[in-house]
Amino acid sequence: KVAIVGVPKTIDNDIGLIDRSFGFKTCIEQARKAIECARVEAASAPNGVCVVKLMGRDSGFIATHAVLSSRDVDLCLIPEVPMITEGPTSVYRHLRNVVRTKGSAVVVVAEGACQESLENTNQKDPSGNKVYADVGSWLKRQIQANFTKHSMECNIRYIDPSYIIRSVPANADDSEYCTLLAQAAVHGAMSGFAAFSAGLVNNRTVMIPITMIGETSPRKQNIGRVWARVVASTGQPF
């Protein structure tokens, strides 16, 4: 007999039921470093704006937690929250106000954000996932055009640290977590169980039927208290 078991593998942290997927803490740690570099880059030019694109196809877990970890971001855009471009809560108006006040601004955008405003690529990757248009390059152009429209100088930069973040060794927290998951998976298989995934739920290592994982994934970032903390940190209007 062959026992089929799994572990929660995705950097986006969008697997249902579990507390987090392995690699997520390392990802946040490295994303924060990219944001720190973006802040220095933005502040080094008159009316500097730096856009940082982070991973997150359908959820904003990486973007929101990196922003909360950094507390150095002025605007965060995620797939779960529509981007407002007109009126008093416009993202562009907010950025212009930030630049007038602080002299520079940092924007963090999840790769799956704002896709409703981008051209459909009509392509799929080898895994069958829809290929998204590059929101970072698009957002850079939109911000530049809006500042020009309002006769404001804007020295804008774009950073995509995705592959740098993916390639770093796991930190101590994720290394320990991987050990717990591996031991739980092997222990379950050797005990006669199959078709389950090891995972952390309420900080306890458990075995979850793979069908339940499929039914609850991908999950979305809860637009509640966590998002309220992001808005309080960035000062953005939504």
Side-chain angles (χ1 to χ4, degrees), residues 132-175:
Y132 286 160
D134 184 2
V135 66
S137 298
W138 173 83
L139 187 60
K140 177 186 176 183
R141 295 192 299 270
Q142 296 300 309
I143 293 172
Q144 183 73 71
N146 187 268
F147 271 67
T148 301
K149 177 182 177 181
H150 289 84
S151 302
M152 282 187 66
E153 180 184 9
C154 179
N155 288 291
I156 190 163
R157 305 289 186 268
Y158 170 40
I159 298 174
D160 181 357
S162 299
Y163 286 101
I164 295 175
I165 292 174
R166 288 178 184 273
S167 63
V168 299
N171 64 15
D173 195 3
D174 273 323
S175 292

Side-chain angles (χ1 to χ4, degrees), residues 36-139:
E36 290 172 349
C37 293
R39 169 55 68 191
V40 173
E41 182 65 28
S44 298
N47 286 15
V49 177
C50 199
V51 176
V52 181
K53 184 179 77 171
L54 297 177
M55 292 166 286
R57 285 183 50 84
D58 301 302
S59 61
F61 288 100
I62 294 174
T64 55
H65 287 271
V67 167
L68 291 175
S69 173
S70 168
R71 299 189 302 279
D72 212 14
V73 177
D74 303 294
L75 176 64
C76 178
L77 300 173
I78 61 174
E80 295 88 341
V81 179
M83 177 180 171
I84 300 174
T85 59
E86 303 290 342
T89 57
S90 163
V91 296
Y92 303 128
R93 179 177 180 177
H94 169 66
L95 278 180
R96 295 196 308 271
N97 290 337
V98 169
V99 170
R100 287 192 190 101
T101 303
K102 299 169 58 176
S104 62
V106 174
V107 180
V108 167
V109 57
E111 64 178 309
C114 313
Q115 289 297 317
E116 65 278 359
S117 301
L118 277 69
E119 184 177 351
N120 193 333
T121 64
N122 295 315
Q123 298 178 14
K124 291 187 177 181
D125 64 20
S127 298
N129 298 312
K130 180 180 178 180
V131 175
Y132 286 160
D134 184 2
V135 66
S137 298
W138 173 83
L139 187 60

